[in-house]
Amino acid sequence: MIYKTCRFVKSWYSRGFEIGLVFNQLQRSNHTVCSIFPRNFSATTSIDLPKSATLLHSDNEATVVLLGTVHFSKQSVEDVSEIVRAINPNAILVELCRQRVSLLELDDKKFLEDAKNFDAQKLKEAVKGQNFVSGMLHAMLLKTYADIAKELGVAPGGEFRRAYQEMKKIPGCKLFLGDRPIQITIARAFQSLSVYELGQVMYHLTTSNPKPIDKLQLEKYKDRDYVQAQFEEITKDVPAFKKIFHVFVDERDKCLAYSLQECVRSVVKNPRVLAVVGMGHVDGIVKYYGKMRQEDIVPLLLLPPRPYYKVLLAKGMKLTFYFLIFSFFFRLIFG
């Protein structure tokens, strides 16, 4: 089992998450992988970057720039183009997985039109095929995205689409998907909660009345101290969110850091890499970059065993269903 999982991880990171496969004009070739992990993060080259960008590595071996973005910010979109002009990257990594790759082809105008008319039918179609808990979370996220898009007039993921567009303009440049599959993240988050914690989270999500977000407030999320303060406020009100944030943020920080390492490894000659991620992942990626190994990532791609209470609940519902059927036919036959 572990061997198969390791093979899956190796395939996912070294080949599977590379969008270059999609573009027929980019021919893949086999090269010897060179080790270019940074020995330190000190910059030896002066590069003019926006304040939201971090220079992870800059020397004769490689240049790696990490851009922290706000997903509905027009300025974040422009920051992508600014960095592309500064370093002329030959690889760009984005905080997306295969399940969300359609975001790169999203029609902004159509999304904004749909957001204005976001109804129960569209919500039902979006979560079709998911289990109850995952579907509920996905529905809440979609509703939140639609509300913010309608309020700000900006479709989500604009910075990723700009990165994708800039990549296509640069000969030989490739785009990488660096995030863990969203289904694994959601499943791990909810399986980490007890019954009480799950109820606590659900109650908060369904009863909270978030304040409208304006463009000025949105830009505050580029400030790491502000993001940390928001995190502390939420976890103070609902402690169970600490477990969810651990899965959604810290675990994904490790996956993104490892993906970025593999992205840099895959560019054989003079890597110039731009990574575009949400601002909340910047500190974690800086912390883990250059330190992650494949064996560190394997456990983060596995679903933990189902909690005992869920197994009992499922069996109880199944037995109840059988009992109701038996009772129905018993009354039908014997009156």
Side-chain angles (χ1 to χ4, degrees), residues 191-204:
Q191 288 193 23
S192 70
L193 301 177
S194 66
V195 177
Y196 173 74
E197 290 170 332
L198 182 60
Q200 190 182 49
V201 169
M202 288 300 182
Y203 176 79
H204 177 80

Side-chain angles (χ1 to χ4, degrees), residues 3 17 38 47-48 50 99 127 145 160 162 167 175 179-180 187-188 220 270 291 294 303:
Y3 172 75
F17 76 119
I47 302 176
D48 188 20
Q99 288 72 26
V127 301
Y145 275 176
F160 301 139
R162 177 63 64 87
M167 179 275 302
L175 190 74
D179 206 356
R180 176 175 64 183
R188 286 181 62 86
K220 291 181 181 178
N270 187 25
K291 302 174 184 176
Q294 180 174 294
L303 293 179

Side-chain angles (χ1 to χ4, degrees), residues 87-311:
I87 69 172
N88 188 34
N90 44 28
I92 299 177
L93 179 139
V94 293
E95 181 204 328
L96 290 175
C97 61
R98 283 186 177 274
Q99 288 72 26
R100 292 178 290 153
V101 72
S102 59
L103 200 64
L104 297 176
E105 300 287 356
L106 180 68
D107 186 320
D108 289 39
K109 291 183 179 179
K110 186 177 185 305
F111 181 88
L112 293 174
E113 290 175 2
D114 290 343
K116 294 177 182 178
N117 304 296
F118 196 74
D119 54 19
Q121 182 60 33
K122 291 180 180 178
L123 200 62
K124 183 179 179 180
E125 292 175 1
V127 301
K128 187 176 181 181
Q130 301 185 46
N131 62 48
F132 176 75
V133 175
S134 297
M136 182 178 290
L137 179 61
H138 193 191
M140 290 177 179
L141 290 174
L142 288 175
K143 183 64 169 64
T144 301
Y145 275 176
D147 289 344
I148 296 176
K150 185 165 57 176
E151 182 74 24
L152 302 177
V154 180
E159 71 273 34
F160 301 139
R161 284 190 293 282
R162 177 63 64 87
Y164 173 56
Q165 293 160 6
E166 294 285 1
M167 179 275 302
K168 292 193 289 185
K169 298 176 185 176
I170 303 173
C173 186
K174 294 183 180 180
L175 190 74
F176 291 80
L177 303 179
D179 206 356
R180 176 175 64 183
I182 185 64
Q183 290 94 335
I184 293 178
T185 298
I186 292 175
R188 286 181 62 86
F190 275 89
Q191 288 193 23
S192 70
L193 301 177
S194 66
V195 177
Y196 173 74
E197 290 170 332
L198 182 60
Q200 190 182 49
V201 169
M202 288 300 182
Y203 176 79
H204 177 80
L205 291 176
T206 54
T207 60
S208 61
N209 186 21
K211 300 177 182 178
I213 298 178
D214 56 34
K215 295 181 180 180
L216 293 178
Q217 184 182 359
L218 195 66
E219 293 299 324
K220 291 181 181 178
Y221 283 90
K222 290 184 178 180
D223 186 330
R224 297 178 190 178
D225 293 335
Y226 181 79
V227 173
Q228 181 62 29
Q230 295 297 304
F231 167 78
E232 292 175 357
E233 181 179 344
I234 294 173
T235 54
K236 181 180 179 181
D237 295 337
V238 187
F241 272 116
K242 288 184 179 180
K243 290 185 177 180
I244 291 181
F245 284 143
H246 172 73
V247 175
F248 270 84
V249 180
D250 188 64
E251 287 188 1
R252 288 172 63 214
D253 288 347
K254 294 177 181 179
C255 291
L256 288 165
Y258 184 74
S259 293
L260 185 54
Q261 292 172 191
E262 293 301 297
C263 176
V264 175
R265 278 180 180 270
S266 70
V267 183
V268 177
K269 186 177 180 181
N270 187 25
R272 300 181 306 280
V273 179
L274 166 61
V276 183
V277 302
M279 182 59 72
H281 292 291
V282 170
D283 287 343
I285 294 175
V286 171
K287 175 182 176 181
Y288 295 121
Y289 179 68
K291 302 174 184 176
M292 302 308 299
R293 301 167 300 171
Q294 180 174 294
E295 51 265 37
D296 299 323
I297 302 301
V298 168
L300 303 182
L301 297 176
L302 299 176
L303 293 179
R306 292 178 67 190
Y308 191 61
Y309 74 87
K310 287 188 178 181
V311 176

